[in-house]
Amino acid sequence: MTRLTQEELSRTLSQEGYGIIGEEVDTPSTLSVADAKEMVEPGGFVIIQPRSSKYRNKRVVHHCLTRGILVFDSVGEFKRYRHLLALESAGIVSGLRLQVPFEILPPFTTEQGENVKGITYKADFVYNEQGNDIIEDFKGMRTKEFDIKWKFLQYQYGNLYELRLTSK
Protein backbone atom coordinates (compact mmCIF):
# COMPACT_ATOMS: atom_id res chain seq x y z
CA MET A 1 0.00 0.00 0.00
CA THR A 2 1.30 3.46 -0.93
CA ARG A 3 1.61 6.05 1.82
CA LEU A 4 1.38 9.73 0.90
CA THR A 5 3.08 12.53 2.78
CA GLN A 6 1.00 15.59 3.69
CA GLU A 7 2.70 17.51 0.85
CA GLU A 8 1.92 14.73 -1.66
CA LEU A 9 -1.66 14.59 -0.42
CA SER A 10 -2.14 18.36 -0.90
CA ARG A 11 -0.50 18.23 -4.33
CA THR A 12 -2.61 15.24 -5.40
CA LEU A 13 -5.84 16.85 -4.22
CA SER A 14 -4.98 20.07 -6.07
CA GLN A 15 -4.12 18.22 -9.29
CA GLU A 16 -7.35 16.25 -9.16
CA GLY A 17 -9.43 19.43 -8.88
CA TYR A 18 -10.29 19.08 -5.23
CA GLY A 19 -8.66 22.40 -4.38
CA ILE A 20 -6.74 23.43 -1.33
CA ILE A 21 -8.65 22.77 1.85
CA GLY A 22 -9.49 25.99 3.65
CA GLU A 23 -8.77 26.92 7.22
CA GLU A 24 -11.25 26.42 10.02
CA VAL A 25 -13.01 29.68 10.73
CA ASP A 26 -15.09 30.74 13.70
CA THR A 27 -18.72 30.88 12.70
CA PRO A 28 -21.69 32.26 14.58
CA SER A 29 -23.59 29.60 16.51
CA THR A 30 -26.72 30.56 14.59
CA LEU A 31 -25.18 29.66 11.21
CA SER A 32 -27.29 27.07 9.42
CA VAL A 33 -26.17 24.53 6.86
CA ALA A 34 -28.02 26.56 4.21
CA ASP A 35 -26.11 29.72 5.23
CA ALA A 36 -22.83 27.82 5.19
CA LYS A 37 -23.54 26.53 1.68
CA GLU A 38 -23.90 30.14 0.55
CA MET A 39 -20.66 31.36 2.13
CA VAL A 40 -18.25 28.46 1.52
CA GLU A 41 -15.59 29.21 -1.09
CA PRO A 42 -14.76 26.70 -3.85
CA GLY A 43 -12.23 24.23 -2.47
CA GLY A 44 -12.85 25.38 1.09
CA PHE A 45 -14.98 24.36 4.01
CA VAL A 46 -16.96 25.83 6.90
CA ILE A 47 -17.31 24.13 10.27
CA ILE A 48 -20.65 24.59 12.02
CA GLN A 49 -21.32 24.04 15.70
CA PRO A 50 -25.01 23.14 15.95
CA ARG A 51 -27.01 24.85 18.70
CA SER A 52 -27.63 21.55 20.41
CA SER A 53 -25.48 18.57 19.65
CA LYS A 54 -25.80 15.52 21.88
CA TYR A 55 -22.25 14.37 21.12
CA ARG A 56 -20.74 17.85 20.50
CA ASN A 57 -19.95 17.06 16.89
CA LYS A 58 -19.40 19.89 14.44
CA ARG A 59 -20.87 19.65 10.95
CA VAL A 60 -18.69 20.48 7.96
CA VAL A 61 -19.90 22.06 4.72
CA HIS A 62 -17.30 21.53 2.00
CA HIS A 63 -17.35 22.97 -1.52
CA CYS A 64 -15.60 20.28 -3.55
CA LEU A 65 -14.61 21.54 -7.00
CA THR A 66 -15.62 18.28 -8.70
CA ARG A 67 -18.52 17.00 -6.56
CA GLY A 68 -20.21 20.25 -5.53
CA ILE A 69 -21.27 21.15 -2.00
CA LEU A 70 -21.08 18.29 0.49
CA VAL A 71 -22.25 18.21 4.11
CA PHE A 72 -20.52 15.96 6.67
CA ASP A 73 -21.91 15.15 10.11
CA SER A 74 -18.53 15.57 11.82
CA VAL A 75 -15.00 16.86 11.33
CA GLY A 76 -13.75 13.26 11.64
CA GLU A 77 -16.00 12.10 8.80
CA PHE A 78 -14.72 15.00 6.66
CA LYS A 79 -11.10 14.06 7.41
CA ARG A 80 -11.80 10.43 6.48
CA TYR A 81 -13.36 11.63 3.21
CA ARG A 82 -10.19 13.63 2.41
CA HIS A 83 -8.08 10.56 3.15
CA LEU A 84 -10.23 8.38 0.87
CA LEU A 85 -9.93 11.02 -1.89
CA ALA A 86 -6.15 10.82 -1.66
CA LEU A 87 -6.32 7.01 -1.82
CA GLU A 88 -8.59 7.27 -4.85
CA SER A 89 -6.21 9.72 -6.56
CA ALA A 90 -3.32 7.34 -5.85
CA GLY A 91 -5.27 4.47 -7.44
CA ILE A 92 -5.57 2.48 -4.21
CA VAL A 93 -9.38 2.73 -4.06
CA SER A 94 -11.89 3.50 -6.80
CA GLY A 95 -15.54 4.42 -7.25
CA LEU A 96 -15.85 6.45 -4.05
CA ARG A 97 -19.49 7.29 -3.31
CA LEU A 98 -21.00 9.11 -0.33
CA GLN A 99 -24.23 8.68 1.63
CA VAL A 100 -25.31 5.56 -0.27
CA PRO A 101 -28.69 4.20 0.88
CA PHE A 102 -29.13 0.46 1.59
CA GLU A 103 -32.53 -1.04 2.32
CA ILE A 104 -32.12 -3.17 5.45
CA LEU A 105 -35.80 -3.92 6.01
CA PRO A 106 -38.28 -3.66 3.15
CA PRO A 107 -41.69 -2.08 3.67
CA PHE A 108 -44.41 -4.58 4.52
CA THR A 109 -48.08 -4.89 5.42
CA THR A 110 -49.16 -6.45 8.71
CA GLU A 111 -51.91 -9.07 8.97
CA GLN A 112 -54.18 -6.25 10.17
CA GLY A 113 -53.55 -4.34 6.92
CA GLU A 114 -51.24 -1.69 8.41
CA ASN A 115 -48.53 -0.49 6.03
CA VAL A 116 -45.14 -0.35 7.74
CA LYS A 117 -42.35 1.75 6.26
CA GLY A 118 -39.07 0.04 5.49
CA ILE A 119 -35.76 0.93 7.12
CA THR A 120 -32.88 2.37 5.14
CA TYR A 121 -29.27 2.63 6.27
CA LYS A 122 -27.11 5.36 4.72
CA ALA A 123 -23.46 4.38 4.48
CA ASP A 124 -20.97 7.22 4.83
CA PHE A 125 -18.71 5.78 2.11
CA VAL A 126 -18.86 3.01 -0.47
CA TYR A 127 -15.83 2.22 -2.62
CA ASN A 128 -13.79 -0.56 -4.21
CA GLU A 129 -10.41 -1.57 -2.84
CA GLN A 130 -8.39 -4.21 -4.70
CA GLY A 131 -11.51 -5.80 -6.18
CA ASN A 132 -13.48 -5.80 -2.90
CA ASP A 133 -16.57 -3.63 -2.48
CA ILE A 134 -16.43 -1.80 0.86
CA ILE A 135 -19.19 -0.20 2.94
CA GLU A 136 -17.63 2.12 5.51
CA ASP A 137 -19.18 4.14 8.28
CA PHE A 138 -17.35 6.72 10.39
CA LYS A 139 -18.52 6.91 13.99
CA GLY A 140 -17.22 9.15 16.74
CA MET A 141 -19.77 7.71 19.16
CA ARG A 142 -21.67 4.46 18.67
CA THR A 143 -25.34 4.38 19.61
CA LYS A 144 -27.77 1.53 20.18
CA GLU A 145 -29.71 2.56 17.08
CA PHE A 146 -26.54 2.43 14.98
CA ASP A 147 -25.57 -0.99 16.41
CA ILE A 148 -28.98 -2.43 15.46
CA LYS A 149 -28.82 -1.00 11.92
CA TRP A 150 -25.22 -2.23 11.54
CA LYS A 151 -26.36 -5.78 12.46
CA PHE A 152 -29.17 -5.61 9.88
CA LEU A 153 -26.61 -4.39 7.32
CA GLN A 154 -24.28 -7.29 8.15
CA TYR A 155 -27.15 -9.74 7.74
CA GLN A 156 -28.41 -8.29 4.43
CA TYR A 157 -25.14 -7.31 2.71
CA GLY A 158 -22.27 -8.96 4.61
CA ASN A 159 -21.75 -11.56 1.88
CA LEU A 160 -21.64 -8.90 -0.89
CA TYR A 161 -19.59 -6.17 0.80
CA GLU A 162 -16.79 -5.91 3.28
CA LEU A 163 -18.12 -3.80 6.17
CA ARG A 164 -15.78 -1.40 7.93
CA LEU A 165 -16.38 0.78 10.95
CA THR A 166 -13.86 3.60 11.39
CA SER A 167 -13.46 6.19 14.12
CA LYS A 168 -11.18 8.99 15.24
Side-chain angles (χ1 to χ4, degrees):
M1 184 175 281
T2 306
R3 293 218 177 252
L4 300 176
T5 66
Q6 189 63 39
E7 183 179 306
E8 290 169 326
L9 171 63
S10 296
R11 186 173 53 250
T12 301
L13 290 174
S14 296
Q15 290 169 350
E16 294 296 317
Y18 294 108
I20 304 301
I21 304 302
E23 293 295 316
E24 180 176 347
V25 294
D26 288 329
T27 57
S29 60
T30 57
L31 187 69
S32 68
V33 170
D35 293 337
K37 286 180 178 180
E38 293 292 322
M39 68 183 285
V40 67
E41 297 289 328
F45 65 91
V46 175
I47 296 178
I48 304 168
Q49 175 66 55
R51 283 189 204 109
S52 62
S53 174
K54 189 173 184 178
Y55 302 108
R56 296 191 183 104
N57 61 316
K58 296 178 181 178
R59 298 185 84 189
V60 177
V61 177
H62 172 54
H63 188 162
C64 179
L65 298 176
T66 56
R67 296 179 187 235
I69 295 180
L70 306 171
V71 180
F72 298 90
D73 288 334
S74 69
V75 174
E77 183 182 332
F78 174 60
K79 288 179 180 179
R80 180 63 182 152
Y81 165 72
R82 289 176 51 197
H83 184 245
L84 287 170
L85 283 180
L87 294 176
E88 186 175 51
S89 295
I92 296 168
V93 303
S94 62
L96 178 62
R97 295 179 290 148
L98 294 95
Q99 299 299 312
V100 179
F102 289 89
E103 183 179 71
I104 56 175
L105 181 68
F108 63 94
T109 304
T110 66
E111 291 180 4
Q112 293 77 21
E114 178 186 353
N115 291 328
V116 180
K117 289 175 33 174
I119 299 173
T120 301
Y121 168 81
K122 275 195 180 176
D124 291 335
F125 311 107
V126 175
Y127 54 91
N128 186 283
E129 180 180 67
Q130 300 173 354
N132 297 319
D133 291 321
I134 311 293
I135 296 174
E136 181 175 322
D137 203 274
F138 182 91
K139 282 289 172 233
M141 174 69 100
R142 290 176 67 163
T143 63
K144 286 182 182 181
E145 179 184 357
F146 169 78
D147 286 341
I148 291 169
K149 285 186 174 185
W150 190 252
K151 287 176 185 175
F152 272 116
L153 188 72
Q154 288 172 317
Y155 178 76
Q156 290 279 48
Y157 298 97
N159 59 338
L160 302 173
Y161 292 86
E162 181 180 328
L163 305 178
R164 291 185 184 167
L165 187 59
T166 55
S167 61
K168 298 178 189 177

